[in-house]
Amino acid sequence: MTISLSIDAICAEILAESAMRHYLRADRPEPLTPDRRVALRQLITGAFASTALEMSPYVTEATEMPDGDTLRLEIRGDPDAAPQIRRSIEHIIALRVMARVYAAVDASLSARLAANADTAGTALTGSLRPEPAALAGAQIRPHRI
């Protein structure tokens, strides 16, 4: 199944999360603003690459599309679950980008965001089927004499 991720949707989640964190706790770092989108886009593509590698038993292809606005994954799974999988991966990428951004100014927040991303990633991969090739090394073949 093809999962198309929107860089703009991920940016919007990062900006919204940053604004709400600051609104709820003014002692948190200032919220990220739309003028940081170019930098966020770079961090998003990096987080996409590492997320795709971590999901490699389930991902058959990971591509940054030529339009520059879409990231695409080919994943083995139930096509009916594609919208939920897409949203989950966008959320994981947003959490990873925020963890990286906040690492220099709030190590505790950064660690919580990274842990949340890891938890979400574990939940997601637990619902997917690995590629048969990824399981090949785990197969036990009897030896006959």
Side-chain angles (χ1 to χ4, degrees), residues 13-32 91 94-95 98-99 102 106 108-110 112-114 116:
E13 179 173 343
I14 293 167
L15 295 175
E17 179 89 18
S18 171
M20 289 307 297
R21 285 187 179 279
H22 184 72
Y23 172 76
L24 295 171
R25 285 201 45 196
D27 62 326
R28 291 283 182 214
E30 288 293 316
L32 297 170
H91 182 64
L95 288 170
M98 290 180 3
Y102 286 124
D106 190 335
S108 174
L109 173 60
S110 175
R112 283 193 310 277
L113 290 165
N116 288 344

Side-chain angles (χ1 to χ4, degrees), residues 8-110:
D8 287 336
I10 298 168
C11 270
E13 179 173 343
I14 293 167
L15 295 175
E17 179 89 18
S18 171
M20 289 307 297
R21 285 187 179 279
H22 184 72
Y23 172 76
L24 295 171
R25 285 201 45 196
D27 62 326
R28 291 283 182 214
E30 288 293 316
L32 297 170
T33 56
D35 63 328
R36 302 290 183 234
R37 282 187 184 268
V38 172
L40 288 174
R41 291 173 75 80
Q42 290 300 312
L43 296 174
I44 288 167
T45 57
F48 167 72
S50 61
T51 299
L53 283 173
E54 289 172 10
M55 295 179 63
S56 63
Y58 313 96
V59 173
T60 59
E61 183 181 340
T63 310
E64 183 177 353
M65 301 306 290
D67 66 9
D69 294 324
T70 307
L71 305 168
R72 190 182 77 203
L73 291 169
E74 290 293 332
I75 297 178
R76 205 177 138 101
D78 179 5
D80 292 338
Q84 294 84 0
I85 293 170
R86 176 193 54 78
R87 186 64 195 105
S88 180
I89 295 171
E90 287 176 346
H91 182 64
I92 291 165
I93 291 171
L95 288 170
R96 288 184 172 161
V97 168
M98 290 180 3
R100 185 166 174 199
V101 167
Y102 286 124
V105 294
D106 190 335
S108 174
L109 173 60
S110 175

